[in-house]
Each structure stands twice: as C-alpha cells, then as structure tokens.
C-alpha cells in the first residue's frame, strides 16, 4: 500500500508544529541532503513549455529513495481565480520501485521554497542582516516572511507588489504575527531602500528588471526566486556582473535562472559547495551576493522525506492501493478477468 497525503492531511501534518517550526525542520532536512549532494542522481527538470505556462517533472534519487514532483507555472491562472502553481510529489524505494508516498505538494512547494531561501541566506547574507524587502506579495510571500523570521531572526519586512491587493492580503494574513513588522510600500525604490536582503518572488513569465543595479547597495544579499524558467528573469544583468552568484544545480540554472542572461562561461558557485566549506560564500560585509534559486529536485526530495517521516510517526494520511498486488505477480490479467 502507498500512503496518500491530501490537502487536509497536509494541514494536520504541518499543524503539529505550526508553519514556522515546519519550515525550520525543513531547512535542516534540506541542509542534510545538500551536505551529501554527490550521492544523488541529478538532472535538470523536464519541462513542457507553452506560450502561457509550463508543466515540469523534477526527479532525483539516492541509493535508498527516489522522489519526483509534478509542478506547473501558469501566471494567467490568477485572472481566472485559479492557482498559478500546483504540484504533487511521490517517494519510492530505489531498490524495488514501489511507491511509498503520494502527496499534495502545492502547499509543500511553498514551504520548501521558503526553506531553501532561508538556507541560502544563512550561508550568504551578512551576519547582522535583519531587514528584508519582499518584492512580489503573492502566494509564497507569507511563507518567506515566516521562515526568515523563525530561522534567521528577521523582524522588519518592506512589501511591494504591482497589485496593491496582494500586499493588502499579505498584511491581512500576518499583521498580528508576533515579532514582525510589515511596511506597505508604493514602489520598489521605497521597499529596497531600508533593507539588507531583497527577495523577489514575482510571477510574470517575462524578461523583467524588477530590481535595477542602482537599487543594490554594498553588502546586500539578493534572494532571486521568481525567475525559474526560460524567458523569465527579475534582475538587471549588471547586478549579476557585480555580485558573487550562487545557484543550486548549474546545468538547470543556466537554462532557467537569472544567469540565463549571462554568457555560458559566467562564473557561479553551487550552494552545496559553500555548505560543505569547499567554496567561499560571502567574501566581506561589502560584497553583494545573489542566490539565483530556481528550485531543484533535491529540495523536493527533502520535503518528501520530512512529510513521510512525520506521517509515519503520527499515522497521518490514508493507505491507497496504487499498485496492483496479484497473488501471482506474473498474472496481472487475473485482476481484471475475475467475476464481478
């Protein structure tokens, strides 16, 4: 049997610790897996693009487990009151191929994206950074704020979105959240003028300069999350030319990330190398660092591991007959041929 986690199960599972503690746990799981990065089978995600969106598969495996995520990105869905990003994930035994877990992953993607952002900032930002601009206040913004507050102690967040109602939604959700202060901004200039870290999580599938080079001050860390497919960027290329740039998996990031704007030999460092002290992260307090984060399968694998561990420990979810179990494994036909 395969454990199935639906939306209500995920609500219960995350609710055991709360969103903040769950993100903190997930940061630990992702960091553990990044430390053993060479053990994983890795490939850029497989994408099917259209003019209005993308559908992707994101697989990876170690010697024990195989995991994948199905995920889409359709920005125009918001015009029809539909989610722009939806996902589900699966975890299986590497040795047998039998599926252990089938899980909702729309909520999980938001949680793991926040956790990955926090992990990148942990290793790349100035140690005294505590203020962040959040540019793009859509479905993932609350998770980013909660994660940075919980794990890194951020207290002040300057918010901007081209749609004021998105910022109003965010403030409505978090205005009573303890230990944070939210600042409504009318422009990107206003938002970035106060901060140490800039997080960009916009949705439009276009080459865009959400952040201009003149807006980036010495010592800043940029957490570029929204540019995650070919033809979609958020940062002025001059920012990248004057920063130390870090990515997850270089072959994927050169296709999908901010560095798709740059020459193919543009120098980047993979985050796992910094975590394992094989490469330098932040060189000085005045350096500008960019985490060009497009999302990689190992992060989803980590989230699936955490979901599976908690679900087994607390018996959350239901068992479904996803795989046939005939008495004779060579006689699959008998399952359809038997009398009603």
């Amino acid at each position: 049997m395969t454990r199935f986690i639906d939306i209500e199960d995920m609500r219960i599972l995350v609710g055991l610790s709360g969103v903040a503690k769950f993100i903190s746990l997930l940061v630990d799981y992702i960091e553990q897996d990044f430390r053993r990065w060479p053990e994983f089978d890795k490939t850029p995600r497989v994408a099917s693009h259209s003019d209005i969106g993308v559908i992707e598969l994101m697989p990876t495996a170690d010697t024990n487990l195989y995991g994948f995520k199905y995920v889409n990105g359709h920005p125009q869905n918001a015009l029809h009151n539909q989610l722009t990003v939806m996902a589900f994930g699966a975890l299986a035994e590497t040795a047998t191929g039998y599926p252990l877990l089938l899980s909702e992953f729309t909520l999980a993607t938001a949680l793991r994206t926040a956790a990955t952002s926090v992990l990148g900032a942990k290793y790349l930002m100035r140690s005294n950074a505590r203020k962040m601009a959040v540019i793009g206040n859509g479905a993932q913004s609350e998770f980013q704020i909660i994660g940075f507050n919980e794990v890194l102690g951020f207290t002040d967040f300057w918010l901007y979105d081209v749609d004021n109602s998105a910022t109003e939604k965010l403030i409505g959700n978090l205005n009573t959240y303890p230990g944070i202060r939210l600042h409504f901004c009318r422009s990107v200039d206003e938002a970035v003028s106060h901060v140490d870290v800039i997080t960009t999580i916009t949705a439009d599938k276009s080459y865009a300069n959400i952040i201009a080079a003149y807006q980036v001050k010495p010592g800043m860390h940029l957490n570029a999350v929204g540019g995650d497919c070919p033809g979609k960027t958020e940062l002025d290329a001059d920012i990248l030319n004057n920063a130390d740039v870090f990515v997850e998996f270089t072959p994927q990031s050169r296709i999908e990330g901010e560095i798709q704007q740059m020459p193919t030999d543009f120098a980047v460092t993979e985050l796992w190398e910094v975590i394992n002290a094989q490469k330098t992260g932040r060189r000085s307090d005045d350096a500008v660092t960019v985490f060009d984060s497009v999302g990689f399968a190992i992060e989803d694998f980590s989230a699936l591991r955490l979901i599976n561990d908690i679900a087994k420990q607390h018996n959350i979810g239901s068992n479904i007959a996803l795989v046939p179990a005939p008495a004779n494994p060579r006689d699959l036909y008998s399952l359809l041929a038997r009398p009603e």
Side-chain angles (χ1 to χ4, degrees), residues 70 79 84 112 119 123 158 168 227 249 265-266 293 316 327:
Y70 163 102
L79 301 176
T84 61
R112 81 94 165 110
L119 180 62
Y123 281 92
W158 276 262
E168 291 164 358
F249 184 55
D265 60 350
F266 180 76
S293 177
I316 297 171

Side-chain angles (χ1 to χ4, degrees), residues 20-320:
K21 295 297 183 185
F22 187 89
I23 292 174
S24 181
L25 278 172
L26 189 46
V27 171
D28 292 340
Y29 267 61
I30 296 172
E31 186 168 1
Q32 291 167 17
D33 286 336
F34 272 41
R35 288 191 181 280
R36 58 191 191 95
W37 187 272
E39 298 176 19
F40 284 90
D41 178 59
K42 297 175 285 293
T43 184
R45 55 185 154 209
V46 181
S48 296
H49 293 276
S50 68
D51 291 339
I52 59 173
V54 63
I55 296 174
E56 300 169 328
L57 292 178
M58 302 174 63
T60 192
D62 64 11
T63 55
N64 296 315
L65 295 170
Y66 170 92
F68 81 86
K69 180 175 77 174
Y70 163 102
V71 63
N72 79 308
H74 286 78
Q76 294 188 32
N77 282 6
L79 301 176
H80 309 289
N81 199 32
Q82 295 176 315
L83 292 171
T84 61
V85 175
M86 297 162 280
F88 65 86
L91 198 64
E93 294 177 334
T94 302
T96 66
Y98 269 78
L100 304 173
L101 176 73
L102 179 63
S103 177
E104 93 76 35
F105 223 79
T106 307
L107 293 168
T109 291
L111 291 158
R112 81 94 165 110
T113 301
T116 303
S117 296
V118 168
L119 180 62
K122 173 182 173 180
Y123 281 92
L124 300 175
M125 71 180 191
R126 292 197 325 270
S127 60
N128 63 348
R130 293 296 181 272
K131 300 175 181 179
M132 183 165 80
V134 181
I135 311 301
N137 300 160
Q140 297 202 28
S141 55
E142 291 91 347
F143 299 93
Q144 295 277 336
I145 289 171
I146 290 170
F148 272 80
N149 172 256
E150 174 68 20
V151 181
L152 300 177
F154 277 55
T155 54
D156 284 83
F157 300 87
W158 276 262
L159 316 175
Y160 175 73
D161 195 293
V162 293
D163 180 359
N164 286 342
S165 67
T167 307
E168 291 164 358
K169 175 270 307 179
L170 193 166
I171 292 174
N173 283 335
L174 296 185
N175 63 352
T176 60
Y177 196 91
I180 65 172
R181 290 179 290 273
L182 303 174
H183 308 273
F184 188 106
C185 299
R186 297 289 181 180
S187 67
V188 173
D189 276 340
E190 180 185 357
V192 303
S193 63
H194 302 278
V195 303
D196 315 297
V197 174
I198 300 171
T199 291
T200 55
I201 39 176
T202 60
D204 285 344
K205 187 180 179 182
S206 63
Y207 290 115
N209 288 338
I210 305 300
I211 304 298
Y214 78 86
Q215 294 167 322
V216 177
K217 305 298 188 294
M220 277 186 168
H221 172 63
L222 280 72
N223 183 40
V225 179
D228 59 359
C229 67
K232 183 182 180 189
T233 62
E234 297 178 312
L235 304 184
D236 184 339
D238 284 344
I239 296 173
L240 305 177
N241 279 320
N242 293 289
D244 296 319
V245 180
F246 302 83
V247 301
E248 291 137 320
F249 184 55
T250 305
Q252 179 174 298
S253 298
R254 292 204 188 277
I255 297 169
E256 302 182 345
E258 294 297 326
I259 61 171
Q260 67 184 274
Q261 309 175 68
M262 312 307 288
T264 55
D265 60 350
F266 180 76
V268 297
T269 301
E270 293 187 342
L271 181 62
W272 73 272
E273 297 175 295
V274 178
I275 292 173
N276 284 328
Q278 295 180 14
K279 296 285 183 67
T280 300
R282 171 167 288 275
R283 294 178 292 106
S284 70
D285 281 350
D286 290 332
V288 173
T289 53
V290 174
F291 182 31
D292 183 7
S293 177
V294 299
F296 186 60
I298 291 176
E299 299 150 16
D300 300 314
F301 180 95
S302 304
L304 286 164
R305 282 205 305 117
L306 176 58
I307 291 166
N308 195 47
D309 286 350
I310 296 174
K312 287 195 300 184
Q313 180 182 354
H314 296 278
N315 195 27
I316 297 171
S318 55
N319 290 321
I320 59 173

